[in-house]
Amino acid sequence: MALVRVQNFAVSLDGFGTGEGQSADAHFGHAGDRLHEWMFTTRWWQPGGSGGVDDAFVRQHDVGIGAEIMGAGKFGHPGWHEDPDWRGAWGPNPPFHTPVFVLTHHRREPIEMAGGTTFHFLDASPAEAVDVAREAAGGKDIRVGGGATTIREFLSAGLVDHLHVVVVPILLGRGVRLWDGLEGVERDFQVESTSSPSGVTHVTFTRTTA
Amino acid sequence: MALVRVQNFAVSLDGFGTGEGQSADAHFGHAGDRLHEWMFTTRWWQPGGSGGVDDAFVRQHDVGIGAEIMGAGKFGHPGWHEDPDWRGAWGPNPPFHTPVFVLTHHRREPIEMAGGTTFHFLDASPAEAVDVAREAAGGKDIRVGGGATTIREFLSAGLVDHLHVVVVPILLGRGVRLWDGLEGVERDFQVESTSSPSGVTHVTFTRTTA
C-alpha cells in the first residue's frame, strides 16, 4: 500500500515551520535560509559536501514518490493567485518531477513545467486530495510537502503514514507553528530522534496503527 | 566565575514544560510523568538502569551547585500559599541539599528541611534573585530550577549561562510553553543536540558571549 509521507520538513526549536513576513523575496519570511542550511552542507547539495545522516535523510525526498500535495502558501507568497503568470517559486524545472496538487480556493488550469512537474490546482479536503493524488501517483507514495498548516491538517486528519521533521536549533519566536493542536498524535507512531553533527535533529514518526 | 545553570529541564516536542491542570496530585498537570520517564530508566534512578547519555546528563543536576532559584509554580500547585503547612512537593528530604529561593509575592519565613535544603521566599526580579542566590551559593553555581515561565524570564533577561533542555518526543498540545518570546536567544550560545536511545534529545546552550 502506497504511503502518505512528509520528508525534510524543517522547524525551529520553538516549532515554527516558517517565519513571519512571507513575500516573493522571502519565501520563509524572517527565517530566511536558516531552516534549510543543514541541506546546503550535504553532498546531495554540493560536491564535497557531507555524506552523513543529513545527506541520507535529504535524499529521501524523492525516493518512491509519485505525487506531491502542497498548500497554497508553499506554492507562492500571499496574493500569488492574483498574478496569472505565477508558476511557483522554483524556476522552470521544479524539484518535484511528478504531478503536484496545490490546495487552493483559487483554481486555475494545470501548469506543465520542465522535468516532469505539473501543477494542478485543487479545492478539496485533505482526504479528497489524498484520493486524487493516489490516483495520479501510479502506486507510488504521496508526499505532503507543506507548509506547516497543511502538514498539521493532514496529521490531524490521520492521513500521514510517515513524518520526517528536522528540528533546527534556532528560536524564530514568530511565524507558523507546526505542532499546534496535535495533542497525543505520537501515540499512533513509533518516534525516533537522531541528532546530526550539523546541529539539527531528525525526528521521524512511523505509523504503527492501521 | 560561578555560572547560572538550568539542568534537566524537560519539554515536549511541541515545547511545553508542563501540562494543563496542575494540582497537588498532578504536579505537571495532564503531562503526568511523561516528561520525566527518561530519568526513570537511568542507573541514577535505579540499580540496573542505563549508564548512558541520559544518566550522564541527569547527574549534572547537583554537580557544583550551591543554590537553586525556582518559581512559585514549581514550589507548589496554584494556591499553595493559602496552606500555611505546605512545604513543597518533595517530602521531608527534598533533592536540592542547598538553599532554595522561591520567587513569590507571598513571602513567608524560611523552612529548613532535612538533607541541607532550606526554602527561602523572595519577592524579587530575576537579576535581584541571582544576586541573593550568588551570595548564598558560596562560590558555586546557581541552578534555575523552573518552571517554564521562570526559565523563560531568566533567559530573556540574559541571566542564564548554561541551559540543558530535554526534548521528549510527545505532543502535549497545551500547558506552559518554554520557548515563547525568545527569538534569537541562541545567538549568544553554542548549541548542541544529542539524541539518546531512550528517544529524548538533550539540547545544551553554552554561553559564548560575556
Side-chain angles (χ1 to χ4, degrees), chain B residues 143-202:
Chain B
R143 184 177 51 239
V144 177
T149 306
T150 299
I151 294 175
R152 196 191 321 133
E153 285 170 357
F154 279 69
L155 277 170
S156 192
L159 294 167
V160 176
D161 299 302
H162 175 82
L163 170 68
H164 168 226
V165 171
V166 185
V167 180
V168 180
I170 59 174
L171 297 170
L172 286 177
R174 53 207 164 92
V176 183
R177 291 184 192 273
L178 174 61
W179 299 120
D180 271 16
L182 295 177
E183 179 180 345
V185 157
E186 79 280 1
R187 290 191 198 111
D188 295 334
F189 296 87
Q190 180 187 345
V191 184
E192 285 186 35
S193 299
T194 308
S195 298
S196 161
S198 71
V200 305
T201 299
H202 299 275

Short mmCIF file of all heavy atoms in Angstrom, two decimals, chain B residues 143-202:
data_model
loop_
_atom_site.label_atom_id
_atom_site.label_comp_id
_atom_site.label_asym_id
_atom_site.label_seq_id
_atom_site.Cartn_x
_atom_site.Cartn_y
_atom_site.Cartn_z
N ARG B 143 21.51 27.10 40.21
CA ARG B 143 20.60 26.43 39.28
C ARG B 143 19.27 27.18 39.25
O ARG B 143 18.70 27.48 40.30
CB ARG B 143 20.36 24.98 39.73
CG ARG B 143 19.51 24.16 38.76
CD ARG B 143 19.37 22.71 39.24
NE ARG B 143 18.95 22.67 40.62
CZ ARG B 143 19.66 22.09 41.60
NH1 ARG B 143 20.79 21.47 41.37
NH2 ARG B 143 19.19 22.13 42.84
N VAL B 144 18.80 27.47 38.02
CA VAL B 144 17.42 27.95 37.86
C VAL B 144 16.58 26.71 37.58
O VAL B 144 16.75 26.04 36.55
CB VAL B 144 17.31 28.99 36.73
CG1 VAL B 144 15.85 29.41 36.55
CG2 VAL B 144 18.18 30.20 37.04
N GLY B 145 15.71 26.39 38.51
CA GLY B 145 15.07 25.07 38.51
C GLY B 145 13.76 24.98 37.76
O GLY B 145 13.23 23.89 37.58
N GLY B 146 13.23 26.10 37.30
CA GLY B 146 11.93 26.08 36.61
C GLY B 146 10.88 26.71 37.48
O GLY B 146 11.22 27.27 38.53
N GLY B 147 9.60 26.66 37.04
CA GLY B 147 9.12 26.04 35.81
C GLY B 147 9.43 26.83 34.55
O GLY B 147 10.31 27.69 34.53
N ALA B 148 8.67 26.51 33.51
CA ALA B 148 8.92 27.06 32.18
C ALA B 148 8.90 28.59 32.19
O ALA B 148 9.76 29.23 31.58
CB ALA B 148 7.87 26.53 31.20
N THR B 149 7.95 29.17 32.88
CA THR B 149 7.84 30.64 32.89
C THR B 149 9.06 31.27 33.52
O THR B 149 9.59 32.27 33.03
CB THR B 149 6.57 31.06 33.66
OG1 THR B 149 5.45 30.37 33.10
CG2 THR B 149 6.35 32.56 33.58
N THR B 150 9.53 30.68 34.60
CA THR B 150 10.70 31.21 35.30
C THR B 150 11.95 31.11 34.41
O THR B 150 12.70 32.07 34.29
CB THR B 150 10.90 30.43 36.61
OG1 THR B 150 9.74 30.64 37.42
CG2 THR B 150 12.14 30.91 37.35
N ILE B 151 12.15 29.97 33.78
CA ILE B 151 13.33 29.82 32.91
C ILE B 151 13.27 30.81 31.76
O ILE B 151 14.26 31.46 31.41
CB ILE B 151 13.43 28.37 32.40
CG1 ILE B 151 13.71 27.43 33.59
CG2 ILE B 151 14.53 28.24 31.34
CD1 ILE B 151 13.72 25.97 33.23
N ARG B 152 12.10 30.96 31.18
CA ARG B 152 11.92 31.91 30.08
C ARG B 152 12.28 33.33 30.53
O ARG B 152 12.97 34.07 29.81
CB ARG B 152 10.47 31.85 29.60
CG ARG B 152 10.27 32.47 28.26
CD ARG B 152 8.81 32.64 27.90
NE ARG B 152 7.95 31.55 28.30
CZ ARG B 152 6.77 31.72 28.92
NH1 ARG B 152 6.35 32.94 29.21
NH2 ARG B 152 6.04 30.69 29.23
N GLU B 153 11.87 33.71 31.74
CA GLU B 153 12.17 35.06 32.23
C GLU B 153 13.67 35.25 32.43
O GLU B 153 14.22 36.31 32.10
CB GLU B 153 11.42 35.32 33.54
CG GLU B 153 9.94 35.57 33.34
CD GLU B 153 9.15 35.58 34.65
OE1 GLU B 153 9.76 35.33 35.73
OE2 GLU B 153 7.94 35.82 34.59
N PHE B 154 14.35 34.23 32.97
CA PHE B 154 15.79 34.35 33.21
C PHE B 154 16.57 34.36 31.88
O PHE B 154 17.55 35.09 31.72
CB PHE B 154 16.28 33.23 34.13
CG PHE B 154 16.02 33.51 35.59
CD1 PHE B 154 14.73 33.52 36.10
CD2 PHE B 154 17.07 33.80 36.45
CE1 PHE B 154 14.49 33.80 37.45
CE2 PHE B 154 16.85 34.08 37.80
CZ PHE B 154 15.56 34.08 38.30
N LEU B 155 16.11 33.55 30.91
CA LEU B 155 16.74 33.58 29.59
C LEU B 155 16.56 34.94 28.93
O LEU B 155 17.49 35.52 28.37
CB LEU B 155 16.11 32.51 28.69
CG LEU B 155 16.63 31.09 28.82
CD1 LEU B 155 15.73 30.14 28.03
CD2 LEU B 155 18.07 30.98 28.30
N SER B 156 15.35 35.42 29.01
CA SER B 156 15.01 36.69 28.39
C SER B 156 15.83 37.84 28.98
O SER B 156 16.22 38.77 28.27
CB SER B 156 13.52 36.92 28.61
OG SER B 156 13.05 37.96 27.84
N ALA B 157 16.13 37.75 30.28
CA ALA B 157 16.92 38.78 30.95
C ALA B 157 18.42 38.57 30.75
O ALA B 157 19.24 39.33 31.28
CB ALA B 157 16.58 38.79 32.45
N GLY B 158 18.80 37.55 29.98
CA GLY B 158 20.22 37.32 29.69
C GLY B 158 21.01 36.80 30.89
O GLY B 158 22.23 36.95 30.96
N LEU B 159 20.32 36.14 31.82
CA LEU B 159 20.97 35.74 33.06
C LEU B 159 21.47 34.30 33.06
O LEU B 159 22.16 33.88 33.99
CB LEU B 159 20.00 35.92 34.24
CG LEU B 159 19.63 37.38 34.55
CD1 LEU B 159 18.44 37.42 35.51
CD2 LEU B 159 20.83 38.11 35.14
N VAL B 160 21.13 33.52 32.03
CA VAL B 160 21.47 32.10 32.04
C VAL B 160 22.78 31.86 31.27
O VAL B 160 22.94 32.33 30.14
CB VAL B 160 20.33 31.27 31.41
CG1 VAL B 160 20.71 29.79 31.32
CG2 VAL B 160 19.04 31.44 32.21
N ASP B 161 23.71 31.14 31.88
CA ASP B 161 25.00 30.82 31.24
C ASP B 161 24.99 29.46 30.56
O ASP B 161 25.72 29.24 29.60
CB ASP B 161 26.12 30.83 32.29
CG ASP B 161 26.26 32.18 32.95
OD1 ASP B 161 26.48 33.16 32.22
OD2 ASP B 161 26.12 32.26 34.19
N HIS B 162 24.21 28.55 31.10
CA HIS B 162 24.18 27.18 30.59
C HIS B 162 22.75 26.66 30.71
O HIS B 162 22.17 26.70 31.80
CB HIS B 162 25.13 26.29 31.39
CG HIS B 162 25.05 24.85 31.00
ND1 HIS B 162 25.71 24.32 29.92
CD2 HIS B 162 24.34 23.82 31.52
CE1 HIS B 162 25.44 23.04 29.81
NE2 HIS B 162 24.60 22.71 30.77
N LEU B 163 22.23 26.16 29.60
CA LEU B 163 20.84 25.67 29.58
C LEU B 163 20.84 24.25 29.05
O LEU B 163 21.36 23.99 27.95
CB LEU B 163 20.01 26.57 28.65
CG LEU B 163 18.59 26.12 28.29
CD1 LEU B 163 17.68 26.17 29.51
CD2 LEU B 163 18.03 27.02 27.18
N HIS B 164 20.29 23.35 29.82
CA HIS B 164 20.14 21.95 29.39
C HIS B 164 18.66 21.62 29.34
O HIS B 164 17.99 21.57 30.37
CB HIS B 164 20.87 21.00 30.36
CG HIS B 164 20.52 19.56 30.15
ND1 HIS B 164 20.21 18.70 31.19
CD2 HIS B 164 20.44 18.80 29.03
CE1 HIS B 164 19.95 17.50 30.70
NE2 HIS B 164 20.08 17.53 29.41
N VAL B 165 18.17 21.42 28.12
CA VAL B 165 16.75 21.11 27.91
C VAL B 165 16.66 19.70 27.35
O VAL B 165 17.46 19.31 26.49
CB VAL B 165 16.11 22.12 26.95
CG1 VAL B 165 14.72 21.69 26.54
CG2 VAL B 165 16.07 23.50 27.60
N VAL B 166 15.71 18.93 27.81
CA VAL B 166 15.48 17.57 27.34
C VAL B 166 14.19 17.57 26.54
O VAL B 166 13.11 17.80 27.11
CB VAL B 166 15.39 16.58 28.52
CG1 VAL B 166 15.29 15.15 28.01
CG2 VAL B 166 16.58 16.75 29.45
N VAL B 167 14.30 17.33 25.23
CA VAL B 167 13.11 17.33 24.39
C VAL B 167 12.55 15.91 24.34
O VAL B 167 13.22 14.98 23.87
CB VAL B 167 13.42 17.84 22.97
CG1 VAL B 167 12.16 17.83 22.11
CG2 VAL B 167 14.03 19.25 23.03
N VAL B 168 11.35 15.76 24.84
CA VAL B 168 10.69 14.45 24.93
C VAL B 168 9.71 14.34 23.75
O VAL B 168 8.92 15.26 23.53
CB VAL B 168 9.94 14.32 26.27
CG1 VAL B 168 9.24 12.98 26.39
CG2 VAL B 168 10.90 14.55 27.44
N PRO B 169 9.79 13.23 22.99
CA PRO B 169 9.02 13.17 21.74
C PRO B 169 7.54 12.85 21.94
O PRO B 169 7.04 11.84 21.47
CB PRO B 169 9.73 12.06 20.96
CG PRO B 169 10.27 11.16 22.01
CD PRO B 169 10.64 12.05 23.16
N ILE B 170 6.87 13.73 22.67
CA ILE B 170 5.41 13.64 22.83
C ILE B 170 4.83 15.02 22.51
O ILE B 170 5.54 16.03 22.59
CB ILE B 170 5.00 13.22 24.26
CG1 ILE B 170 5.52 14.24 25.30
CG2 ILE B 170 5.50 11.82 24.59
CD1 ILE B 170 5.02 13.98 26.72
N LEU B 171 3.57 15.02 22.14
CA LEU B 171 2.89 16.28 21.83
C LEU B 171 1.83 16.53 22.90
O LEU B 171 0.78 15.88 22.92
CB LEU B 171 2.27 16.21 20.43
CG LEU B 171 3.29 16.04 19.30
CD1 LEU B 171 2.63 15.72 17.97
CD2 LEU B 171 4.17 17.28 19.17
N LEU B 172 2.12 17.46 23.81
CA LEU B 172 1.19 17.72 24.92
C LEU B 172 0.02 18.57 24.47
O LEU B 172 -1.06 18.50 25.07
CB LEU B 172 1.92 18.39 26.08
CG LEU B 172 2.83 17.47 26.91
CD1 LEU B 172 3.55 18.28 27.99
CD2 LEU B 172 2.02 16.34 27.56
N GLY B 173 0.24 19.43 23.49
CA GLY B 173 -0.87 20.21 22.94
C GLY B 173 -1.27 21.44 23.75
O GLY B 173 -1.82 22.38 23.20
N ARG B 174 -1.02 21.41 25.07
CA ARG B 174 -1.45 22.51 25.95
C ARG B 174 -0.63 22.47 27.23
O ARG B 174 -0.12 21.42 27.61
CB ARG B 174 -2.94 22.42 26.24
CG ARG B 174 -3.36 21.07 26.78
CD ARG B 174 -4.83 20.74 26.46
NE ARG B 174 -5.05 19.31 26.66
CZ ARG B 174 -5.49 18.76 27.80
NH1 ARG B 174 -5.79 19.52 28.84
NH2 ARG B 174 -5.62 17.45 27.91
N GLY B 175 -0.53 23.62 27.86
CA GLY B 175 0.26 23.73 29.07
C GLY B 175 1.04 25.03 29.04
O GLY B 175 0.60 26.02 28.44
N VAL B 176 2.22 25.03 29.66
CA VAL B 176 3.04 26.24 29.72
C VAL B 176 4.23 26.06 28.78
O VAL B 176 5.00 25.11 28.90
CB VAL B 176 3.54 26.49 31.16
CG1 VAL B 176 4.32 27.80 31.23
CG2 VAL B 176 2.36 26.53 32.14
N ARG B 177 4.38 27.01 27.85
CA ARG B 177 5.44 26.92 26.85
C ARG B 177 6.75 27.46 27.39
O ARG B 177 6.78 28.49 28.07
CB ARG B 177 5.07 27.75 25.61
CG ARG B 177 3.92 27.21 24.80
CD ARG B 177 3.75 28.10 23.56
NE ARG B 177 2.51 27.84 22.86
CZ ARG B 177 2.35 26.90 21.92
NH1 ARG B 177 3.36 26.12 21.60
NH2 ARG B 177 1.18 26.73 21.34
N LEU B 178 7.86 26.77 27.05
CA LEU B 178 9.17 27.27 27.45
C LEU B 178 9.68 28.36 26.51
O LEU B 178 10.25 29.36 26.96
CB LEU B 178 10.19 26.12 27.44
CG LEU B 178 11.65 26.54 27.68
CD1 LEU B 178 11.82 27.19 29.05
CD2 LEU B 178 12.59 25.36 27.52
N TRP B 179 9.49 28.19 25.19
CA TRP B 179 10.28 28.96 24.22
C TRP B 179 9.67 30.29 23.82
O TRP B 179 10.29 31.04 23.06
CB TRP B 179 10.52 28.12 22.96
CG TRP B 179 11.26 26.83 23.15
CD1 TRP B 179 10.81 25.58 22.85
CD2 TRP B 179 12.61 26.66 23.62
NE1 TRP B 179 11.77 24.65 23.12
CE2 TRP B 179 12.89 25.28 23.59
CE3 TRP B 179 13.60 27.54 24.08
CZ2 TRP B 179 14.12 24.75 23.98
CZ3 TRP B 179 14.81 27.02 24.47
CH2 TRP B 179 15.07 25.64 24.43
N ASP B 180 8.47 30.58 24.26
CA ASP B 180 7.80 31.80 23.76
C ASP B 180 8.60 33.06 24.03
O ASP B 180 9.15 33.27 25.12
CB ASP B 180 6.43 31.94 24.43
CG ASP B 180 5.36 31.21 23.63
OD1 ASP B 180 5.72 30.39 22.78
OD2 ASP B 180 4.17 31.50 23.88
N GLY B 181 8.64 33.93 23.02
CA GLY B 181 9.22 35.26 23.21
C GLY B 181 10.74 35.26 23.32
O GLY B 181 11.31 36.19 23.86
N LEU B 182 11.40 34.24 22.82
CA LEU B 182 12.86 34.14 22.95
C LEU B 182 13.57 34.22 21.61
O LEU B 182 14.68 33.71 21.45
CB LEU B 182 13.23 32.85 23.68
CG LEU B 182 12.75 32.75 25.13
CD1 LEU B 182 13.10 31.40 25.72
CD2 LEU B 182 13.35 33.88 25.98
N GLU B 183 12.95 34.89 20.64
CA GLU B 183 13.55 34.98 19.30
C GLU B 183 15.02 35.37 19.36
O GLU B 183 15.39 36.38 19.96
CB GLU B 183 12.79 36.01 18.47
CG GLU B 183 13.39 36.17 17.07
CD GLU B 183 12.64 37.19 16.22
OE1 GLU B 183 11.51 37.57 16.57
OE2 GLU B 183 13.20 37.61 15.19
N GLY B 184 15.85 34.56 18.72
CA GLY B 184 17.27 34.91 18.55
C GLY B 184 18.15 34.66 19.76
O GLY B 184 19.36 34.90 19.70
N VAL B 185 17.59 34.17 20.85
CA VAL B 185 18.39 33.94 22.07
C VAL B 185 19.58 33.02 21.79
O VAL B 185 20.64 33.14 22.41
CB VAL B 185 17.49 33.39 23.21
CG1 VAL B 185 18.30 32.63 24.24
CG2 VAL B 185 16.73 34.53 23.87
N GLU B 186 19.43 32.09 20.84
CA GLU B 186 20.50 31.12 20.58
C GLU B 186 21.78 31.80 20.08
O GLU B 186 22.86 31.20 20.14
CB GLU B 186 20.04 30.06 19.57
CG GLU B 186 20.04 30.50 18.10
CD GLU B 186 18.82 31.33 17.73
OE1 GLU B 186 17.97 31.59 18.61
OE2 GLU B 186 18.70 31.72 16.54
N ARG B 187 21.69 33.04 19.61
CA ARG B 187 22.89 33.70 19.06
C ARG B 187 23.98 33.91 20.11
O ARG B 187 25.14 34.05 19.78
CB ARG B 187 22.51 35.06 18.46
CG ARG B 187 21.71 34.90 17.19
CD ARG B 187 21.56 36.21 16.43
NE ARG B 187 20.45 36.09 15.48
CZ ARG B 187 19.30 36.75 15.58
NH1 ARG B 187 19.09 37.60 16.57
NH2 ARG B 187 18.36 36.56 14.68
N ASP B 188 23.60 33.95 21.38
CA ASP B 188 24.59 34.15 22.45
C ASP B 188 25.17 32.84 22.96
O ASP B 188 25.94 32.84 23.94
CB ASP B 188 23.95 34.90 23.63
CG ASP B 188 23.54 36.31 23.25
OD1 ASP B 188 24.15 36.86 22.32
OD2 ASP B 188 22.62 36.84 23.88
N PHE B 189 24.80 31.72 22.32
CA PHE B 189 25.18 30.41 22.85
C PHE B 189 25.74 29.51 21.76
O PHE B 189 25.41 29.66 20.57
CB PHE B 189 23.94 29.72 23.44
CG PHE B 189 23.33 30.41 24.63
CD1 PHE B 189 22.38 31.41 24.45
CD2 PHE B 189 23.72 30.08 25.92
CE1 PHE B 189 21.81 32.05 25.55
CE2 PHE B 189 23.16 30.71 27.02
CZ PHE B 189 22.20 31.71 26.83
N GLN B 190 26.57 28.57 22.17
CA GLN B 190 26.86 27.41 21.34
C GLN B 190 25.79 26.37 21.66
O GLN B 190 25.59 26.04 22.84
CB GLN B 190 28.25 26.86 21.66
CG GLN B 190 28.60 25.65 20.81
CD GLN B 190 29.91 25.02 21.24
OE1 GLN B 190 30.69 25.62 21.97
NE2 GLN B 190 30.12 23.79 20.79
N VAL B 191 25.12 25.87 20.64
CA VAL B 191 24.02 24.93 20.85
C VAL B 191 24.44 23.55 20.36
O VAL B 191 24.99 23.42 19.26
CB VAL B 191 22.74 25.38 20.13
CG1 VAL B 191 21.59 24.44 20.45
CG2 VAL B 191 22.39 26.82 20.51
N GLU B 192 24.23 22.53 21.19
CA GLU B 192 24.48 21.15 20.77
C GLU B 192 23.25 20.31 21.02
O GLU B 192 22.54 20.53 22.01
CB GLU B 192 25.65 20.54 21.58
CG GLU B 192 27.01 21.01 21.17
CD GLU B 192 28.11 20.25 21.91
OE1 GLU B 192 27.95 19.04 22.19
OE2 GLU B 192 29.14 20.88 22.23
N SER B 193 23.01 19.34 20.16
CA SER B 193 21.90 18.41 20.34
C SER B 193 22.43 16.99 20.32
O SER B 193 23.24 16.64 19.47
CB SER B 193 20.88 18.57 19.21
OG SER B 193 20.35 19.88 19.20
N THR B 194 21.95 16.18 21.26
CA THR B 194 22.38 14.79 21.38
C THR B 194 21.17 13.91 21.64
O THR B 194 20.55 13.99 22.70
CB THR B 194 23.37 14.62 22.55
OG1 THR B 194 24.43 15.57 22.41
CG2 THR B 194 23.93 13.20 22.58
N SER B 195 20.83 13.06 20.67
CA SER B 195 19.71 12.15 20.86
C SER B 195 20.16 10.94 21.65
O SER B 195 21.29 10.48 21.51
CB SER B 195 19.16 11.69 19.51
OG SER B 195 18.69 12.79 18.79
N SER B 196 19.25 10.44 22.45
CA SER B 196 19.52 9.27 23.28
C SER B 196 18.72 8.09 22.77
O SER B 196 17.63 8.26 22.21
CB SER B 196 19.10 9.58 24.72
OG SER B 196 18.92 8.39 25.45
N PRO B 197 19.23 6.85 22.96
CA PRO B 197 18.43 5.67 22.61
C PRO B 197 17.06 5.64 23.31
O PRO B 197 16.14 4.99 22.83
CB PRO B 197 19.31 4.50 23.08
CG PRO B 197 20.70 5.03 23.04
CD PRO B 197 20.58 6.49 23.42
N SER B 198 16.93 6.35 24.40
CA SER B 198 15.63 6.39 25.09
C SER B 198 14.59 7.17 24.30
O SER B 198 13.40 7.12 24.61
CB SER B 198 15.78 7.04 26.46
OG SER B 198 16.04 8.44 26.32
N GLY B 199 15.04 7.94 23.31
CA GLY B 199 14.10 8.70 22.48
C GLY B 199 14.14 10.19 22.72
O GLY B 199 13.68 10.96 21.88
N VAL B 200 14.68 10.61 23.86
CA VAL B 200 14.75 12.05 24.12
C VAL B 200 15.97 12.64 23.42
O VAL B 200 16.90 11.92 23.02
CB VAL B 200 14.80 12.37 25.63
CG1 VAL B 200 13.61 11.72 26.35
CG2 VAL B 200 16.12 11.95 26.25
N THR B 201 15.97 13.96 23.28
CA THR B 201 17.13 14.67 22.74
C THR B 201 17.57 15.73 23.74
O THR B 201 16.77 16.55 24.18
CB THR B 201 16.78 15.33 21.39
OG1 THR B 201 16.42 14.31 20.46
CG2 THR B 201 17.98 16.11 20.83
N HIS B 202 18.84 15.66 24.11
CA HIS B 202 19.41 16.64 25.03
C HIS B 202 19.91 17.84 24.22
O HIS B 202 20.74 17.66 23.32
CB HIS B 202 20.57 16.03 25.82
CG HIS B 202 20.15 14.86 26.66
ND1 HIS B 202 19.64 15.00 27.92
CD2 HIS B 202 20.11 13.54 26.39
CE1 HIS B 202 19.34 13.80 28.42
NE2 HIS B 202 19.61 12.90 27.51
#
